Each structure stands twice: as structure tokens, then as C-alpha cells.
Amino acid sequence: MKLLAIGGFTTALLLFVVVEWAARREGSRIPTFGDVCAYVMQYEVGPVPVGRIALFGFWWWMGWHFFAR
């Protein structure tokens, strides 16, 4: 079971690297990870920066579940 989880995370990381590499090629229409984060952080509802709150919440959740053990 442990190997399945490690294999899944390794596959996800490898897929992320491949997509980021494809996004950075010249003439690519795929946005980079930084472009996606910038787009999400621009989202606001009135004066409330919903995108920034969501991104902060995502990173908090990741840290709590994977790094705080």
C-alpha cells in the first residue's frame, strides 16, 4: 500500500514536470504554473481577494496534511 502511494506521488510530480516543460517551450499555448497562480490570485469578489485566500488555504492544507507530521 505504501508503494502505491509513493508511486502515485512520483507519477503526479513527473506529470507536473512534463507539463511545465511543455508550457515553457517557445510558442506553447499551455500556461506555466506561475501564470496559473497569477490568474487565480487576481480573482476578487468586491474588495475580498478570494483567489489569494483560496491559494493560501490550499498551501495551508498541503502543509498541514503532508509536512506537519
Side-chain angles (χ1 to χ4, degrees):
M1 190 65 160
K2 190 178 196 180
L3 285 176
L4 182 63
I6 292 171
F9 281 110
T10 303
T11 302
L13 181 63
L14 183 62
L15 183 61
F16 172 79
V17 169
V18 168
V19 170
E20 187 70 16
W21 172 79
R24 293 183 181 271
R25 291 183 324 179
E26 190 171 335
S28 176
R29 296 181 61 204
I30 303 170
T32 63
F33 182 67
D35 292 339
V36 172
C37 285
Y39 182 78
V40 169
M41 289 195 336
Q42 289 178 11
Y43 186 73
E44 293 182 353
V45 175
V48 180
V50 176
R52 290 178 188 262
I53 293 169
L55 203 58
F56 175 76
F58 172 72
W59 284 117
W60 175 81
W61 183 86
M62 290 287 289
W64 185 264
H65 285 84
F66 296 114
F67 305 124
R69 293 180 186 248

